[in-house]
Amino acid sequence: QVQLVESGGGLVQAGGSLRLSCAASGCNYFSSYTMGWFRQAPGKEREFVARIVWSGPGTYYADSVKGRFTISRDNGKNTMYLQMNSLKPEDTAVYYCNLVRAGGASYWGQGTQVTVSS
């Protein structure tokens, strides 16, 4: 079984920073999995934020967060991170961790709320 638990969300002022964490369990060889972050704001569809893969340069970002967010992973801890800097009110959303294993099965966490005030 694969379980994903997000943490690190909260309330920050515009221009501030947060670091989200996603702890994964039930999956061996953490570095072989594609993982990413998505977010969903009220009244909007869930959108891609960032992903990290095992091959090539490995990281990809939505245009809206490039230069502000950084995705990373600690293979020893089976944990993925999203460092969010220069936060804007439009970043307010529930942020979800996603993992895709070989074979295409996809797993999601329950999300963590990020609220950015003006």
Side-chain angles (χ1 to χ4, degrees), residues 37 50 61 65 67-72 81-85:
W37 292 95
Y61 299 91
V65 306
R68 300 189 298 120
F69 291 10
T70 303
I71 189 171
S72 62
Y81 305 96
L82 184 68
Q83 178 67 46
M84 305 185 295
N85 298 326

Side-chain angles (χ1 to χ4, degrees), residues 20-52:
L20 306 183
S21 298
C22 173
S25 62
C27 50
N28 295 323
Y29 306 107
F30 184 76
S31 63
S32 68
Y33 297 92
T34 296
M35 298 188 69
W37 292 95
F38 293 74
R39 67 187 182 187
Q40 187 168 21
K44 297 182 66 178
E45 296 290 323
R46 186 166 59 189
E47 66 175 346
F48 165 78
V49 176
R51 78 173 190 267
I52 185 165

Side-chain angles (χ1 to χ4, degrees):
Q1 70 283 5
V2 176
Q3 291 181 297
L4 305 173
V5 180
E6 302 98 332
S7 62
L11 173 65
V12 299
Q13 293 183 320
S17 298
L18 284 173
R19 189 176 77 156
L20 306 183
S21 298
C22 173
S25 62
C27 50
N28 295 323
Y29 306 107
F30 184 76
S31 63
S32 68
Y33 297 92
T34 296
M35 298 188 69
W37 292 95
F38 293 74
R39 67 187 182 187
Q40 187 168 21
K44 297 182 66 178
E45 296 290 323
R46 186 166 59 189
E47 66 175 346
F48 165 78
V49 176
R51 78 173 190 267
I52 185 165
V53 299
W54 65 269
S55 62
T59 59
Y60 303 87
Y61 299 91
D63 288 342
S64 59
V65 306
K66 285 181 179 177
R68 300 189 298 120
F69 291 10
T70 303
I71 189 171
S72 62
R73 61 201 292 174
D74 184 328
N75 295 332
K77 295 182 178 180
N78 276 15
T79 301
M80 180 180 64
Y81 305 96
L82 184 68
Q83 178 67 46
M84 305 185 295
N85 298 326
S86 302
L87 283 162
K88 305 174 181 179
E90 51 263 44
D91 295 318
T92 296
V94 177
Y95 284 71
Y96 296 92
C97 175
N98 172 246
L99 179 150
V100 180
R101 67 169 177 83
S106 184
Y107 303 88
W108 297 90
Q110 290 301 118
T112 185
Q113 177 71 48
V114 172
T115 303
V116 184
S117 62
S118 300

